[in-house]
Amino acid sequence: MRIDKIETYSTPHLCVVRITTEDGLSGIGQTAPDFTDITCRIVHRQLAPLVLGMDAGQIEEISDRCIESTYKFYGSYICRAAAGIDTALWDLKAKRAGKGVAQLLGSTASSVDVYGSSMDKTITPKLEADRMKALMQDKGFRAFKLHIGKGIGKNLDMYPGRTEEVVSLVRQALGSDSELYVDSKGAYDVNRAIELGRLFEQLDIGFFEEPCPFWQMEKSAEVARTLSIPVAGGEQDFCLAQWGRIIEQRALSIAQPDILSIGGLTRALRVARMAEKAGLYCTPHNSTHSLLQVFSIHMYAALANAYPFLEISIDQEYLDPWTKNFFYPAVEVKDGKVKVPREPVGSASQPGLARQGTL
Ligand SMILES: [Mg+2]
């Protein structure tokens, strides 16, 4: 069915893309969050002219066209914008089939296991341990991730010793039956990452995410070769060729593509398949309470090489209020699991979203 209309609706942080085909059916997608005035402009100026009139069912071809036809601009913003179109097309395809996207991808799972991801590096180690213990009891979480370090590649911390303190305290508080992961967002050089990694090995940390700046994959590869705990990463990496090199060099053993940063579900699934071929796990990066959650649950549910847990943020109330009540039904964690939606994505409530443009 021919693509007739591409519309964007946004707040400063969120941009919903609606694609309508000639028969009037619409799909809802989302671009990567933040600076959405820029991303919307790219959707309408650079991508919509390439996509309008194409067959909405040709999602792979449309994904490639968005990237290949703009190759002189290949980068984060093109991929952020392309993700809005790609995810809307997946929603549209699911609507047309009367299924959820996960089902469309062959999944029969009704729920998936999630780990609680703390984004807060300002919380005291004691409060962090307390809230994670409470979440274990109230919501059945069996795995958590802490964010550690500060800045990129400078070996800094929120205060000297915080990382050692918070990881040790939370590990002890959660007990040995639960999983604990750490994410430094590229805070360290190789020596410091290995030094901390030795402590993480002793504390039975399940994976060390982004030990070094993501653009220095050789350094992450060295850390991965040296430590016995798995290295995870990839949430910023949008280039599929770079993903090939990352996987070939074993700079990580758990691939975490971000559906909205990489250019959509189509491209994130390609990374998952590359990882699968190399015998590596995949679990999509899923850090916000935006529609990224919904797309990530659909993708994760359909992976053959899914890591045992999918990320879910535990910080909605005070760290990303811009996503509050963004869509219904809200994703809820019960017994450490979230339901895999049986419906298409398109129930975004779009509160306060201003129309940005139509082409
Ligand atoms: Mg991360």
Side-chain angles (χ1 to χ4, degrees):
M1 204 60 71
R2 200 165 49 87
I3 296 173
D4 246 9
K5 195 154 68 168
I6 299 174
E7 299 162 279
T8 53
Y9 298 84
S10 77
T11 68
H13 294 290
L14 287 163
C15 170
V16 166
V17 176
R18 181 159 71 191
I19 293 185
T20 307
T21 45
E22 56 189 322
D23 62 345
L25 196 64
S26 296
I28 297 286
Q30 187 194 310
T31 66
D34 302 323
F35 302 101
T36 52
D37 53 329
I38 301 170
T39 319
C40 284
R41 188 64 67 91
I42 292 167
V43 169
H44 293 295
R45 288 284 305 279
Q46 289 192 272
L47 302 183
L50 300 168
V51 171
L52 284 165
M54 286 187 78
D55 177 354
Q58 293 186 307
I59 301 181
E60 299 274 340
E61 289 81 354
I62 291 171
S63 175
D64 286 343
R65 188 159 196 205
C66 285
I67 301 301
E68 290 165 7
S69 300
T70 58
Y71 69 93
K72 284 198 184 285
F73 301 88
Y74 189 29
S76 169
Y77 269 107
I78 288 287
C79 292
R80 287 169 161 265
I85 290 174
D86 182 82
T87 48
L89 289 172
W90 275 102
D91 182 47
L92 189 59
K93 188 171 182 175
K95 277 196 180 117
R96 204 171 286 289
K99 296 178 174 178
V101 174
Q103 287 175 287
L104 206 58
L105 293 169
S107 170
T108 55
S110 58
S111 64
V112 296
D113 294 310
V114 291
Y115 72 81
S117 186
S118 165
M119 308 290 157
D120 191 356
K121 293 195 269 194
T122 61
I123 191 169
T124 68
K126 169 80 169 62
L127 282 177
E128 186 70 290
D130 288 348
R131 77 163 171 160
M132 287 184 174
K133 264 166 55 183
L135 284 166
M136 278 174 88
Q137 287 193 336
D138 299 345
K139 306 226 169 190
F141 279 105
R142 300 185 308 286
F144 290 97
K145 185 169 79 185
L146 294 165
H147 274 81
I148 56 171
K150 177 187 169 189
I152 293 197
K154 305 282 196 304
N155 297 330
L156 297 174
D157 211 337
M158 297 303 285
Y159 57 81
R162 180 185 185 274
T163 291
E164 291 89 333
E165 191 185 345
V166 72
V167 179
S168 302
L169 193 77
V170 170
R171 174 78 280 178
Q172 196 182 13
L174 297 183
S176 54
D177 286 345
S178 58
E179 296 263 318
L180 185 61
Y181 317 128
V182 294
D183 181 357
S184 90
K185 289 188 172 292
Y188 309 118
D189 63 16
V190 172
N191 289 341
R192 181 63 176 147
I194 291 172
E195 185 182 20
L196 282 169
R198 294 299 184 205
L199 171 70
F200 302 155
E201 286 172 339
Q202 286 170 27
L203 294 171
D204 195 23
I205 298 304
F207 64 71
F208 188 172
E209 182 172 327
E210 289 196 85
C212 301
F214 76 92
W215 54 83
Q216 298 172 344
M217 68 170 163
E218 297 80 7
K219 294 188 175 175
S220 288
E222 191 178 339
V223 174
R225 274 196 305 275
T226 308
L227 297 178
S228 62
I229 56 175
V231 165
E235 66 189 67
Q236 282 89 211
D237 288 289
F238 54 80
C239 172
L240 296 186
Q242 179 73 349
W243 266 105
R245 290 186 281 270
I246 289 169
I247 288 170
E248 197 181 316
Q249 289 196 20
R250 294 296 191 273
L252 49 76
S253 48
I254 302 165
Q256 299 170 312
D258 180 302
I259 292 171
L260 300 184
S261 296
I262 202 171
L265 179 58
T266 306
R267 288 165 61 80
L269 284 168
R270 289 182 190 173
V271 169
R273 285 193 285 269
M274 274 191 238
E276 184 188 350
K277 231 172 152 184
L280 306 179
Y281 279 122
C282 180
T283 185
H285 172 249
N286 180 31
S287 64
T288 73
H289 289 269
S290 69
L291 284 175
L292 176 64
Q293 273 191 337
V294 185
F295 303 127
S296 298
I297 293 167
H298 281 299
M299 173 178 166
Y300 178 84
L303 293 179
N305 55 334
Y307 187 75
F309 295 93
L310 170 68
E311 178 174 32
I312 201 141
S313 168
I314 56 173
D315 286 319
Q316 176 164 20
E317 292 307 318
Y318 56 101
L319 283 184
D320 52 0
W322 44 276
T323 63
K324 205 165 164 52
N325 300 325
F326 176 49
F327 61 90
Y328 299 98
V331 172
E332 273 212 57
V333 180
K334 208 177 159 197
D335 299 327
K337 296 171 186 290
V338 295
K339 281 188 182 158
V340 178
R342 292 272 152 179
E343 299 78 36
V345 171
S347 49
S349 60
Q350 305 176 15
L353 293 174
R355 189 186 182 91
Q356 292 298 311
T358 306
L359 254 181

